[in-house]
Amino acid sequence: MQNREIEELRRRVVELDALEKRNREMAEALRKSEEYLARAQRIAHLGYWERNVETGRMNWSEECYRIFGVARKELTREEFLKGIHPDDQEAVRRARREALDEGKLYETEYRVLWPDGTTRVIHSQGEVSYDETGRPVSLFGTVMDITGQRQVEKALRESEERYRRIFENAPVGIFQSTPEGRYLSVNPALARMYGYGFPEEMVSSVTSIPKQVYVDPEEHRRIIAKTLDRPGWGHYENRYRRKDGTVMRANLAIRKQLNPDGTVAYLEGFVEDITERKQAEEKMASLLRFQNEMLDTDAIWIDTLDPEGNITFWNRGAENISGYSRQEALGNKKIWEWLYADPDARANIFRRAMDSIHQSKRSQNYETTIRRKDGESRVISWYSSRLMDEEGGIIGSIVLGADITERKQAEEKMVSLQEQLRQSQKMEAIGQLAGGIAHDFNNLLTVIKGYSELSLGQLKNEDPLTGNVKEILAAANRASDLTRQLLVFSRRQVLDFR
């Protein structure tokens, strides 16, 4: 009997040990479950609460206190409402009334104010528990801190609004299209660019981008093939046709957008009208060609000097006139010695060139005689002007030279001819004067000779006056010879009456 009792006692002890072990295991499982639940609530920012309808007392989970930013304590409904943003308190009351009075699901979103002034956004939902008579006894629900979610949503809305403003107001064209060539959307800038009144008109009117927009439809095919074949942006310059048929030049940036499964969702891109810019570039290129042709003319010597007097530009005219090539002249100060062999003349001319850069603000005109590479001397007329950069700093000078050797020679010859003409005119005047005097004097001599001959005819040889008259007649004849010579000088002749 005693042994059976002992065995029964041992069996009961074993059962109690097993029961205690199961209780410990269940308690540990419950603790872990509560721990996991708390961790899950903390990670998800999700708490649970229960409110006694009759007493108004609130029972919160640990996460609820963290979500509301308050210390753990027993809360009443009034204390709970104090933590809610004043503008949201009525919405919370309304949701509670509708749940209790009308049986609706309790669900609301409101802001709570933390003691430090921080505002958090809360989403709460719950359900009513009833007793056996159908009377509501409690309201059980959850709260979730959705501040981050709302911030993300706000940022997304702001981002979408920024994109919309950019899309609507961008100065460049923006579009989305299908790979086959239909516009899905275009912004106002692109519609205006192609001559359409508004984006919807362009989307509905353009049914084939390659045929209606591209001047060369094959170019559209090539661009789309490249876009679909590689990731990222592709950049192209192309010609496009406006609604009125005119052609414009534009830059296109285009890429593909993919669906989650990797298929192409649509193409998107930017279009920049560069027609005016290309026209300006072509005009500038033409002007530059004209400028280069003008600067590299054969007729005018053009060179530029840096502030130290080194040659920095040497055109074909300078090569032709001086005989020295561009390679020989650029950066070589020996050119001054080659052009001006006389040291004094060279120093004077170099000093004048430096003065035109560093001293004189006015352009200078002067002449020098250079020695060509072949030793020939040439006279050059120079025009020199200072060169300045955009900030007003001195960067050198530009010098234009014209070979005036032939002109100087022609001027010297003209001076000689003019002198000869003056001498000829002077001799002609003298001849005219001499001819006039000789003519008048010859008239007087004719009278003297006539009367002398008449007198000799009346005088006898022995008459003392005969010798005198003969001397007069001889002197008159000599005078006649002299006047005849004067008339020859004046290119005038008279009849000889002898």
Side-chain angles (χ1 to χ4, degrees), residues 300-303 380-385 398-402:
I300 299 295
W301 175 326
I302 303 176
D303 68 64
I380 310 298
S381 175
W382 301 105
Y383 171 87
S384 176
S385 181
I398 182 170
V399 183
L400 283 71

mmCIF file of all heavy atoms in Angstrom, residues 300-303 380-385 398-402:
data_model
loop_
_atom_site.group_PDB
_atom_site.id
_atom_site.type_symbol
_atom_site.label_atom_id
_atom_site.label_comp_id
_atom_site.label_asym_id
_atom_site.label_seq_id
_atom_site.Cartn_x
_atom_site.Cartn_y
_atom_site.Cartn_z
ATOM 1 N N ILE A 300 47.510 93.313 -100.448
ATOM 2 C CA ILE A 300 47.844 94.119 -99.285
ATOM 3 C C ILE A 300 48.672 93.295 -98.309
ATOM 4 O O ILE A 300 48.347 92.142 -98.014
ATOM 5 C CB ILE A 300 46.565 94.637 -98.573
ATOM 6 C CG1 ILE A 300 45.757 95.506 -99.527
ATOM 7 C CG2 ILE A 300 46.914 95.422 -97.317
ATOM 8 C CD1 ILE A 300 46.446 96.780 -99.931
ATOM 9 N N TRP A 301 49.711 93.885 -97.801
ATOM 10 C CA TRP A 301 50.538 93.288 -96.759
ATOM 11 C C TRP A 301 49.804 93.482 -95.432
ATOM 12 O O TRP A 301 49.504 94.598 -95.013
ATOM 13 C CB TRP A 301 51.883 93.984 -96.752
ATOM 14 C CG TRP A 301 52.856 93.596 -95.670
ATOM 15 C CD1 TRP A 301 52.590 93.229 -94.401
ATOM 16 C CD2 TRP A 301 54.288 93.575 -95.802
ATOM 17 N NE1 TRP A 301 53.729 92.969 -93.711
ATOM 18 C CE2 TRP A 301 54.806 93.185 -94.551
ATOM 19 C CE3 TRP A 301 55.169 93.850 -96.837
ATOM 20 C CZ2 TRP A 301 56.179 93.076 -94.319
ATOM 21 C CZ3 TRP A 301 56.530 93.742 -96.608
ATOM 22 C CH2 TRP A 301 57.026 93.349 -95.363
ATOM 23 N N ILE A 302 49.473 92.363 -94.739
ATOM 24 C CA ILE A 302 48.831 92.436 -93.432
ATOM 25 C C ILE A 302 49.615 91.562 -92.458
ATOM 26 O O ILE A 302 49.855 90.386 -92.728
ATOM 27 C CB ILE A 302 47.364 91.960 -93.461
ATOM 28 C CG1 ILE A 302 46.552 92.782 -94.474
ATOM 29 C CG2 ILE A 302 46.719 92.059 -92.076
ATOM 30 C CD1 ILE A 302 45.126 92.315 -94.633
ATOM 31 N N ASP A 303 50.039 92.156 -91.370
ATOM 32 C CA ASP A 303 50.660 91.378 -90.303
ATOM 33 C C ASP A 303 50.208 91.925 -88.963
ATOM 34 O O ASP A 303 49.679 93.036 -88.873
ATOM 35 C CB ASP A 303 52.197 91.375 -90.412
ATOM 36 C CG ASP A 303 52.803 92.739 -90.135
ATOM 37 O OD1 ASP A 303 52.674 93.248 -88.997
ATOM 38 O OD2 ASP A 303 53.454 93.296 -91.044
ATOM 39 N N ILE A 380 57.093 101.021 -99.058
ATOM 40 C CA ILE A 380 55.839 100.546 -98.481
ATOM 41 C C ILE A 380 55.163 101.679 -97.710
ATOM 42 O O ILE A 380 55.805 102.376 -96.919
ATOM 43 C CB ILE A 380 56.064 99.359 -97.531
ATOM 44 C CG1 ILE A 380 56.919 98.276 -98.209
ATOM 45 C CG2 ILE A 380 54.728 98.786 -97.064
ATOM 46 C CD1 ILE A 380 56.309 97.666 -99.435
ATOM 47 N N SER A 381 53.880 101.846 -97.958
ATOM 48 C CA SER A 381 53.068 102.790 -97.178
ATOM 49 C C SER A 381 52.327 101.994 -96.110
ATOM 50 O O SER A 381 51.598 101.049 -96.412
ATOM 51 C CB SER A 381 52.067 103.506 -98.083
ATOM 52 O OG SER A 381 51.208 104.326 -97.311
ATOM 53 N N TRP A 382 52.533 102.375 -94.825
ATOM 54 C CA TRP A 382 52.006 101.610 -93.696
ATOM 55 C C TRP A 382 50.833 102.316 -93.032
ATOM 56 O O TRP A 382 50.792 103.539 -92.947
ATOM 57 C CB TRP A 382 53.091 101.385 -92.633
ATOM 58 C CG TRP A 382 54.305 100.659 -93.110
ATOM 59 C CD1 TRP A 382 55.524 101.176 -93.378
ATOM 60 C CD2 TRP A 382 54.409 99.256 -93.379
ATOM 61 N NE1 TRP A 382 56.400 100.221 -93.788
ATOM 62 C CE2 TRP A 382 55.741 99.017 -93.806
ATOM 63 C CE3 TRP A 382 53.517 98.191 -93.314
ATOM 64 C CZ2 TRP A 382 56.195 97.750 -94.150
ATOM 65 C CZ3 TRP A 382 53.974 96.934 -93.645
ATOM 66 C CH2 TRP A 382 55.296 96.719 -94.060
ATOM 67 N N TYR A 383 49.904 101.468 -92.544
ATOM 68 C CA TYR A 383 48.819 101.921 -91.659
ATOM 69 C C TYR A 383 48.826 100.995 -90.467
ATOM 70 O O TYR A 383 48.679 99.782 -90.603
ATOM 71 C CB TYR A 383 47.467 101.863 -92.367
ATOM 72 C CG TYR A 383 46.288 102.113 -91.463
ATOM 73 C CD1 TYR A 383 45.827 103.394 -91.200
ATOM 74 C CD2 TYR A 383 45.632 101.031 -90.852
ATOM 75 C CE1 TYR A 383 44.747 103.607 -90.358
ATOM 76 C CE2 TYR A 383 44.547 101.240 -90.007
ATOM 77 C CZ TYR A 383 44.109 102.530 -89.770
ATOM 78 O OH TYR A 383 43.048 102.748 -88.926
ATOM 79 N N SER A 384 49.022 101.541 -89.271
ATOM 80 C CA SER A 384 49.157 100.735 -88.069
ATOM 81 C C SER A 384 48.125 101.155 -87.031
ATOM 82 O O SER A 384 47.874 102.347 -86.835
ATOM 83 C CB SER A 384 50.576 100.890 -87.481
ATOM 84 O OG SER A 384 50.693 100.195 -86.259
ATOM 85 N N SER A 385 47.516 100.147 -86.359
ATOM 86 C CA SER A 385 46.511 100.436 -85.326
ATOM 87 C C SER A 385 46.665 99.445 -84.182
ATOM 88 O O SER A 385 46.968 98.266 -84.393
ATOM 89 C CB SER A 385 45.100 100.336 -85.911
ATOM 90 O OG SER A 385 44.124 100.640 -84.933
ATOM 91 N N ILE A 398 47.843 95.727 -85.455
ATOM 92 C CA ILE A 398 47.662 95.221 -86.809
ATOM 93 C C ILE A 398 48.249 96.237 -87.760
ATOM 94 O O ILE A 398 48.080 97.453 -87.581
ATOM 95 C CB ILE A 398 46.172 94.947 -87.123
ATOM 96 C CG1 ILE A 398 46.040 94.364 -88.542
ATOM 97 C CG2 ILE A 398 45.320 96.183 -86.958
ATOM 98 C CD1 ILE A 398 44.658 93.832 -88.856
ATOM 99 N N VAL A 399 48.986 95.751 -88.747
ATOM 100 C CA VAL A 399 49.710 96.618 -89.664
ATOM 101 C C VAL A 399 49.323 96.252 -91.089
ATOM 102 O O VAL A 399 49.363 95.076 -91.465
ATOM 103 C CB VAL A 399 51.236 96.481 -89.481
ATOM 104 C CG1 VAL A 399 51.963 97.448 -90.399
ATOM 105 C CG2 VAL A 399 51.624 96.726 -88.027
ATOM 106 N N LEU A 400 48.909 97.253 -91.863
ATOM 107 C CA LEU A 400 48.586 97.066 -93.274
ATOM 108 C C LEU A 400 49.604 97.825 -94.103
ATOM 109 O O LEU A 400 49.921 98.994 -93.810
ATOM 110 C CB LEU A 400 47.184 97.580 -93.594
ATOM 111 C CG LEU A 400 45.992 96.707 -93.183
ATOM 112 C CD1 LEU A 400 45.829 96.722 -91.679
ATOM 113 C CD2 LEU A 400 44.727 97.186 -93.853
ATOM 114 N N GLY A 401 50.132 97.169 -95.099
ATOM 115 C CA GLY A 401 51.127 97.800 -95.950
ATOM 116 C C GLY A 401 50.795 97.666 -97.423
ATOM 117 O O GLY A 401 50.338 96.619 -97.868
ATOM 118 N N ALA A 402 51.011 98.747 -98.169
ATOM 119 C CA ALA A 402 50.785 98.739 -99.618
ATOM 120 C C ALA A 402 52.106 99.064 -100.319
ATOM 121 O O ALA A 402 52.788 100.034 -99.947
ATOM 122 C CB ALA A 402 49.718 99.754 -99.999
#
